[in-house]
Amino acid sequence: MLSVKDLKVSYGAIEAVKGISFDIKDGEIVALIGANGAGKTTTLHAISRLLDIKSGTIMLDEKEISKMAPEKIVSVGLAQVPEGRRIFASQTVFENLKLGAYLRKDTVNIENDIKHCYELFPILEARKTQLAGTLSGGEQQMLAIARALMAKPKVLLLDEPSMGLSPLLVKEIFSIIKEINKSGTSILLVEQNAKMALSIADRAYVLETGKIVLSGTGEELINSDEIRKAYLGG
Amino acid sequence: MANIKDKIKNIYKKKNSGVMSYTIVIGLYLVMEILMKTGNLTNLIKSLLVPCVCYIIVAVALNLCVGLSGELSLGHAGFMSIGAFTSVVVSGTLEEVITNDILRLVIAVIAAALVASIIGYLVSIPVLKLEGDYLAIVTLAFGQIIKSIIGNIYLGIDEKGFQFSFIEDTTKISENGKMLISGPTGATGISRISTFTAAVVLCIIALIIVYHLINSKDGRAIMAARDNRIASLSVGINVTRTKTLAFVMSVMLAGAAGAIYGLNYSSISPAKFDFNQSILILVYVVLGGLGNINGTIIAATLLYILPEMLRSLADYRMLIYALILIVIMLVTNNDKLKNRINELLRRKKKHE
Ligand SMILES: Nc1ncnc2c1ncn2[C@@H]1O[C@H](COP(=O)(O)OP(=O)(O)O)[C@@H](O)[C@H]1O
Ligand SMILES: [Mg+2]
């Protein structure tokens, strides 16, 4: 579905991603885990074209997308939930969801899909006329995910959805991610929270200072000594 | 809790179709017309009506750029200037061809809006692609440059057609012809075809355009791009395009208002549209409230009329004007003061 080959991305002279390759097959949840500063966000931004790549290829279903305009990426089936709960603070929950469908031509189905989002996240329905900036952290994260779903993506890119949330909320969000995946959306999950990410991932890659140092199925990695020592606290 | 309630109220305010704005403008228009017909307006007030409405339009237009789109422009007076001089040239040229004043005015206003938006578009190309307050810097410089350029244009027309020169006046206009723009002097001998009614009609058209944009999908995208650039890109909004749309609409309206303004005087000089004017318009917007169209209309009206009313105070005029500005600024932007005023109001209500 989505495949990344020899991707290099740099900020000026500093190379943040140093030639990584990975892929996501149809219907998979793939996790990209790594410590702070490993290059996870940089990788996601390169895929969704918020950053220019230095070299490498990014293919979605046989289609090269690494030269596309950032606003076109959504229309080929990739939607990103950016790091840090970037919602449209001065607009209502409902309007945020509508903006998620900004590029969709099938306007008649949008109302229905908003209803579907409310089923997935009932709290958003209760808050639908509230300004998004007044939501709690967890609600904002849910809104950011729901908004991305409104684009009807084939692949959903999630950047640290657990960041700054209580363990209980993290559990809730991850079970919803799993549910989204079950209904047919492939997922690239970027996380520092390795334990949670590996628990739902089919496969995972470990990123360290811009390089992939380990990969395997979620189960393999959760049981590997290296991962235990480095990411799961022993 | 009260805060959230206020914010929810704001949503409904935002969703409105602008009924309040139209009411204010039409109300002001009717009151002024009645006062005028019954002979109750001084000449001073009469002379202020058209420019006041023009500044309302430019301020509403600037709010589109600063409030809705979050891009600071410090050169809107420059776009007014472009509109004013374009309209003067168009109207002056067509004077013998189209004798109907209203038709000539309409053509001049459309031409002014067109020229202002084309120049605005060209100015915006290099800057709106970038993040940050580059538009403020570029429009600041633009305002000054336009003032200098128009101040050095010599343009005249006679039976042989247009004659143009730059910096030095080398035009030789025959007796039958006339100068349209004469360098720093600007334009003179303008036939004053603007009317209060025309200004108000343009104001209503401007409001229709602005409210239509605010409530449209493009308007939502403009606000989204202001709120969060990365999130906007992530849902597929072309941030550069939406910001350009807001800016070009804004300068188009400023140009149109400039046309009505220019054709209201028998002479105008390019020095009239300087940096101070741009700042003054920005003051109307900030005091009226970013994104608040009704506030902008009221602030522009009061703050345009006020200094004229204070004229009898001679030298103290600007001092008092500045003090009033500072007080309004403190009251509208200081949460503590706002709360105290709210408390006072509440106490009053309780007593009642
Ligand atoms: N805008 C930037 N300019 C320069 N360096 C950056 C920028 N953003 C990130 N970096 C650097 O790139 C590296 C990877 O960052 P990032 O992708 O944000 O990591 P992660 O998301 O894994 O925490 C870090 O060393 C970081 O300091
Ligand atoms: Mg990151």
Side-chain angles (χ1 to χ4, degrees):
Chain A
M1 178 123 251
L2 180 71
S3 83
V4 173
K5 263 206 188 75
D6 300 321
L7 177 69
K8 288 185 186 170
V9 190
S10 45
Y11 297 102
I14 306 159
E15 202 168 68
V17 173
K18 303 165 182 164
I20 62 172
S21 303
F22 63 92
D23 66 325
I24 298 158
K25 300 195 181 73
D26 209 352
E28 269 188 325
I29 299 184
V30 171
L32 193 61
I33 58 177
N36 200 9
K40 304 182 298 294
T41 298
T42 306
T43 306
L44 275 198
H45 280 190
I47 295 173
S48 48
R49 299 288 300 114
L50 297 177
L51 278 174
D52 282 332
I53 69 173
K54 196 170 143 197
S55 65
T57 54
I58 304 169
M59 311 277 288
L60 181 75
D61 290 336
E62 317 298 312
K63 194 172 182 184
E64 168 80 48
I65 60 167
S66 51
K67 298 267 154 28
M68 273 185 166
E71 69 273 4
K72 294 273 155 54
I73 286 293
V74 190
S75 53
V76 298
L78 278 175
Q80 189 190 183
V81 181
E83 183 179 43
R85 305 195 270 280
R86 294 170 180 269
I87 39 84
F88 303 122
S90 71
Q91 307 200 42
T92 64
V93 167
F94 176 74
E95 282 154 1
N96 267 265
L97 293 176
K98 249 171 84 173
L99 277 166
Y102 182 72
L103 286 184
R104 277 173 55 184
K105 305 251 152 42
D106 55 330
T107 38
V108 282
N109 302 325
I110 289 176
E111 292 281 329
N112 254 333
D113 291 336
I114 290 180
K115 268 192 208 126
H116 178 69
C117 284
Y118 290 154
E119 278 160 23
L120 216 48
F121 303 98
I123 189 74
L124 293 184
E125 177 155 37
R127 303 265 185 274
K128 63 183 172 192
T129 57
Q130 197 168 314
L131 292 189
T134 66
L135 298 179
S136 74
E139 290 162 357
Q140 290 191 6
Q141 187 60 270
M142 293 181 194
L143 178 58
I145 296 173
R147 188 186 59 202
L149 287 178
M150 287 302 297
K152 294 208 153 234
K154 293 185 221 160
V155 184
L156 184 65
L157 312 171
L158 292 153
D159 197 348
E160 301 212 32
S162 75
M163 193 200 268
L165 300 183
S166 71
L168 208 68
L169 266 173
V170 173
K171 258 198 178 143
E172 194 181 332
I173 297 237
F174 273 64
S175 80
I176 293 170
I177 293 173
K178 190 104 202 173
E179 211 173 306
I180 293 167
N181 174 250
K182 273 198 192 121
S183 62
T185 312
S186 310
I187 288 173
L188 176 60
L189 173 63
V190 159
E191 263 299 341
Q192 266 192 72
N193 188 337
K195 197 173 172 184
M196 280 309 290
L198 291 177
S199 74
I200 66 164
D202 298 308
R203 288 184 304 118
Y205 297 84
V206 181
L207 200 60
E208 244 169 49
T209 55
K211 284 194 186 122
I212 288 178
V213 292
L214 214 63
S215 65
T217 65
E219 219 168 318
E220 275 165 23
L221 290 183
I222 221 166
N223 294 320
S224 92
D225 290 342
E226 285 150 290
I227 293 288
R228 272 168 188 262
K229 273 193 204 120
Y231 298 100
L232 305 175
Chain B
M1 218 28 230
N3 202 10
I4 292 174
K5 260 189 207 154
D6 284 348
K7 285 192 170 155
I8 291 176
K9 248 190 238 155
N10 272 338
I11 300 163
Y12 292 111
K13 229 187 266 162
K14 261 187 213 154
K15 270 220 176 123
N16 84 12
S17 46
V19 179
M20 192 64 193
S21 300
Y22 298 120
T23 314
I24 296 172
V25 172
I26 294 170
L28 277 176
Y29 173 69
L30 291 178
V31 169
M32 287 301 149
E33 279 290 308
I34 290 167
L35 288 177
M36 202 157 18
K37 294 274 148 60
T38 53
N40 280 316
L41 277 193
T42 62
N43 280 337
L44 172 64
I45 295 277
K46 267 190 222 162
S47 73
L48 294 180
L49 291 177
V50 173
C52 181
V53 177
C54 291
Y55 278 107
I56 293 176
I57 300 168
V58 182
V60 168
L62 184 61
N63 209 338
L64 197 61
C65 182
V66 182
L68 198 72
S69 167
E71 292 290 330
L72 191 55
S73 164
L74 298 175
H76 262 52
F79 290 102
M80 251 184 117
S81 181
I82 291 173
F85 284 96
T86 303
S87 70
V88 166
V89 169
V90 169
S91 165
T93 308
L94 297 178
E95 205 151 2
E96 267 96 57
V97 192
I98 299 171
T99 46
N100 182 326
D101 284 352
I102 295 175
L103 182 60
R104 207 162 74 248
L105 180 64
V106 170
I107 293 172
V109 169
I110 292 174
L114 216 64
V115 173
S117 46
I118 291 169
I119 293 176
Y121 176 66
L122 295 176
V123 169
S124 76
I125 290 175
V127 279
L128 286 177
K129 279 193 194 127
L130 306 169
E131 278 180 79
D133 284 335
Y134 294 101
L135 188 71
I137 301 163
V138 169
T139 48
L140 168 67
F142 170 79
Q144 298 303 99
I145 292 169
I146 277 297
K147 199 176 81 177
S148 309
I149 290 180
I150 297 178
N152 281 300
I153 289 179
Y154 296 86
L155 178 68
I157 185 168
D158 58 17
E159 62 279 352
K160 278 178 277 175
F162 286 110
Q163 285 184 40
F164 172 83
S165 75
F166 197 63
I167 299 178
E168 251 173 82
D169 186 6
T170 57
T171 54
K172 290 187 187 65
I173 299 297
S174 71
E175 270 179 25
N176 301 327
K178 64 184 169 193
M179 285 304 284
L180 295 166
I181 303 177
S182 336
T185 320
T188 51
I190 305 168
S191 74
R192 303 176 54 183
I193 52 177
S194 282
T195 59
F196 182 41
T197 307
V200 170
V201 168
L202 180 66
C203 186
I204 299 285
I205 294 173
L207 286 173
I208 292 173
I209 293 175
V210 168
Y211 276 105
H212 181 76
L213 182 66
I214 289 178
N215 291 316
S216 73
K217 194 172 160 186
D218 280 328
R220 293 276 155 221
I222 291 168
M223 282 185 265
R226 172 199 66 192
D227 283 356
N228 201 310
R229 184 188 176 87
I230 292 203
S232 307
L233 289 170
S234 85
V235 299
I237 293 169
N238 184 336
V239 171
T240 306
R241 195 194 77 91
T242 59
K243 286 201 180 288
T244 304
L245 176 69
F247 182 71
V248 171
M249 288 279 234
S250 176
V251 300
M252 178 192 83
L253 294 175
I260 299 273
Y261 186 92
L263 292 171
N264 182 51
Y265 296 100
S266 53
S267 70
I268 46 164
S269 85
K272 177 94 187 78
F273 306 97
D274 60 0
F275 178 62
N276 289 341
Q277 286 297 319
S278 290
I279 293 299
L280 214 58
I281 302 163
L282 188 62
V283 167
Y284 301 155
V285 172
V286 173
L287 290 184
L290 290 180
N292 182 343
I293 304 293
N294 297 333
T296 302
I297 296 172
I298 293 166
T301 311
L302 293 181
L303 292 177
Y304 182 76
I305 304 284
L306 188 68
E308 303 297 333
M309 297 288 101
L310 294 175
R311 244 176 226 291
S312 55
L313 299 170
D315 287 348
Y316 296 108
R317 182 169 77 107
M318 286 327 275
L319 181 67
I320 292 176
Y321 182 63
L323 284 177
I324 292 175
L325 279 189
I326 292 171
V327 171
I328 297 179
M329 196 112 75
L330 286 175
V331 173
T332 49
N333 288 325
N334 187 314
D335 284 337
K336 262 191 203 160
L337 267 174
K338 247 194 224 165
N339 288 344
R340 196 153 299 163
I341 289 170
N342 281 342
E343 252 171 52
L344 282 176
L345 290 176
R346 228 174 288 148
R347 231 175 269 163
K348 239 190 198 168
K349 263 187 197 158
K350 266 183 200 162
H351 282 296
E352 277 163 8

